């Protein structure tokens, strides 16, 4: 079975009692029924960005839901680079601690040696 196209829509999320489903009133004027988990009910009445796969005329299967006020995700390249720098800082911190412990654990030298 062919898969639908991927869409990223921003708009206000509402609950349609007659169809018992979420409705996204998009900024461009469109109206989409969104299939997503019930725990997303906290986002009703708020502006959200929904990323999903189209599965009908105006039906979207949500893959990712973000609050509209949330920052846009960083690209994978920038995220990987930030992770690399974070690991490097963590490693430098561990090495610094080991050096300090090593200095404090040295035994004093005696005269007979």
């Amino acid at each position: 079975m062919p898969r639908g196209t991927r869409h990223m829509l921003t708009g206000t999320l509402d609950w349609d009692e007659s169809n018992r489903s979420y409705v996204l009133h998009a900024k461009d004027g469109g109206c989409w029924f969104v299939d997503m988990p019930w725990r997303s009910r906290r986002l009703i009445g708020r502006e959200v960005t929904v990323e999903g796969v189209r599965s009908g005329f105006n039906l979207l299967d949500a893959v990712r839901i973000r609050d509209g006020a949330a920052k846009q995700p960083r690209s994978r390249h920038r995220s990987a680079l930030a992770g690399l720098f974070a690991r490097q800082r963590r490693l430098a911190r561990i090495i610094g601690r080991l050096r300090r412990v090593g200095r404090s654990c040295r035994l004093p030298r005696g005269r007979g040696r």
Side-chain angles (χ1 to χ4, degrees):
M1 181 172 174
R3 300 201 53 181
T5 55
R6 198 169 184 91
H7 293 274
M8 185 181 237
L9 302 167
T10 301
T12 306
L13 188 67
D14 289 321
W15 175 256
D16 184 14
E17 192 60 45
S18 62
N19 291 322
R20 309 223 9 107
S21 63
Y22 293 102
V23 179
L24 181 72
H25 297 284
K27 286 184 174 181
D28 64 359
C31 182
W32 292 80
F33 290 103
V34 184
D35 183 25
M36 57 189 191
W38 176 246
R39 67 177 180 259
S40 302
R41 67 186 176 275
R42 65 182 173 80
L43 297 172
I44 292 177
R46 298 174 78 175
E47 187 174 298
V48 296
T49 300
V50 178
E51 186 178 336
V53 178
R54 188 175 189 168
S55 60
F57 173 71
N58 64 344
L59 181 61
L60 197 66
D61 293 329
V63 174
R64 181 180 299 147
I65 307 154
R66 282 193 310 270
D67 192 356
K71 293 191 295 187
Q72 292 294 327
R74 292 185 290 180
S75 68
R76 288 184 189 178
H77 177 69
R78 290 186 64 195
S79 297
L81 194 58
L84 179 66
F85 286 136
R87 284 191 292 276
Q88 188 178 9
R89 281 192 304 271
R90 204 173 309 132
L91 184 60
R93 213 175 311 131
I94 291 170
I95 290 171
R97 286 179 187 159
L98 289 173
R99 285 182 181 161
R100 273 183 261 137
V101 168
R103 276 188 235 134
S104 64
C105 292
R106 290 189 182 145
L107 297 173
R109 292 189 175 190
R111 289 190 168 184
R113 294 184 190 185

